[in-house]
Amino acid sequence: MRLLIIEDDQPLATLLARDLATLGHESVIIDNGRDAFALVARDRFDGIVVDRLLIGSMDGVSVIRWLRDAKVEMPIIMLTAYGMRDQKIEGLDAGADDYLVKPVDAAELDARFRAIMRRPTDTLQSGILRAGDIEVNVHMHRAWRAGRSIEVQKQEFKLLTELVRNAGGVMTRAMLIETVWGYDFDPKAKIVDSYVKRLRDALHIEGLPDPIETVRGVGYMIRG
C-alpha cells in the first residue's frame, strides 16, 4: 500500500513510516491538512492516516470532513490520544473508517487497513453490514437476524456492530473495550462477557445456532 500520513509529530511519523516499510508499504508524510489536500488531488494513495490533534487551523476532524466532502473515498484511519472517547466519536462521525490509539503499532494499522478494504464499497456508503444471517444498519441503529428485527440496547448494538464489521476475525476483549466503551473499563473486567451474554440472548432464535463464537483465552467472533 501507498499511505499518506498526516502527522505533525515528526519523530512519531518517521518511526511509523519506517515500521510500515518493513511490512512492504510506502509512506508519504505531511505535517498539516492544507498541504495534504494538494497531495491527494495530484497523487495516488491507498489509504490515509491522520492525527486527530494537528497543530494549526485545521485539526484532524476538519481534514477528514473536507476529504469526505470532496468525495475522497479511500480508507481513512484517525490517530487519537489514549482514552479520548469523544474525539474518536467525532472523527468517526466526520467520515473516518477506523481509529487507533497512539502509540501506533504498524502491524495493527496494516491489519485495520486490510479489514477496511475487504468491506464492500456499498457497505461503506449505505452503512449496512452483514455477516451470515445478521444484518446491521449503522445509520438507523437497527439490527435483524434471519429477517427478524432484533431489539438491543445502545451498548449491545455497538458490540454487535463491531463483531459484524470484523466478521471472520477474532475481536479480543481489549479491542472490544476500546471500540465499544472507549477504554472506560479495565480490560480484565467482565463487562465484555456480560454484554456478549445479553447479545446472545437477543440474537437467539429457536432452531438456529449461536452466531457468536467464543475463542477461549482470546475473545469473540461472528463468522462471515
Side-chain angles (χ1 to χ4, degrees):
M1 287 188 293
R2 189 164 191 267
L3 301 174
L4 175 61
I5 300 174
I6 309 172
E7 168 63 77
D8 54 17
D9 184 334
Q10 193 65 33
L12 186 151
T14 301
L15 178 61
L16 179 58
R18 187 196 68 188
D19 290 346
L20 286 167
T22 66
L23 298 173
H25 306 307
E26 177 188 352
S27 301
V28 175
I29 300 171
I30 196 76
D31 64 3
N32 67 90
R34 295 192 181 280
D35 289 345
F37 299 153
L39 271 177
V40 171
R42 71 171 186 262
D43 211 340
R44 185 193 68 80
F45 296 97
D46 299 301
I48 298 174
V49 181
V50 56
D51 184 21
R52 167 64 178 80
L53 296 177
L54 292 172
I55 297 174
S57 59
M58 296 192 72
D59 63 7
V61 171
S62 299
V63 173
I64 294 168
R65 190 172 288 119
W66 186 94
L67 291 168
R68 293 311 190 206
D69 286 346
K71 307 303 180 186
V72 174
E73 296 183 358
M74 72 186 70
I76 299 175
I77 293 180
M78 183 180 69
L79 308 184
T80 70
Y82 177 85
M84 295 299 172
R85 184 179 183 182
D86 291 344
Q87 292 182 5
K88 300 169 190 173
I89 293 172
E90 188 180 18
L92 293 170
D93 286 344
D97 295 294
D98 204 346
Y99 66 85
L100 279 174
V101 175
K102 297 192 289 187
V104 181
D105 180 83
E108 183 176 0
L109 181 65
D110 169 61
R112 295 212 183 195
F113 268 122
R114 286 187 282 107
I116 294 167
M117 291 172 181
R118 286 196 299 268
R119 301 175 195 169
T121 302
D122 61 346
T123 293
L124 298 177
Q125 296 172 345
S126 68
I128 296 175
L129 308 172
R130 295 184 180 88
D133 59 3
I134 297 173
E135 179 176 311
V136 174
N137 189 311
V138 178
H139 300 323
M140 295 175 63
H141 289 258
R142 295 189 62 191
W144 299 263
R145 185 180 186 198
R148 299 186 190 182
S149 180
I150 303 298
E151 298 298 325
V152 289
Q153 299 300 315
K154 180 180 177 181
Q155 294 302 104
E156 295 159 17
F157 179 83
K158 291 172 68 176
L159 176 60
L160 177 62
T161 297
E162 289 307 313
L163 288 170
V164 172
R165 191 192 308 277
N166 294 279
V170 180
M171 295 289 287
T172 67
R173 289 173 177 82
M175 290 169 66
L176 290 169
I177 287 173
E178 175 190 336
T179 55
V180 177
W181 288 277
Y183 282 107
D184 288 342
F185 297 91
D186 184 333
K188 296 180 181 178
K190 297 294 185 181
I191 188 73
V192 175
D193 302 324
S194 175
Y195 271 84
V196 166
K197 183 180 184 303
R198 296 187 199 180
L199 185 56
R200 278 182 164 138
D201 291 342
L203 292 170
H204 176 73
I205 295 178
E206 194 67 34
L208 294 181
D210 182 353
I212 303 176
E213 180 178 336
T214 301
V215 181
R216 294 193 179 279
V218 183
Y220 299 94
M221 69 178 292
I222 286 180
R223 296 204 174 275

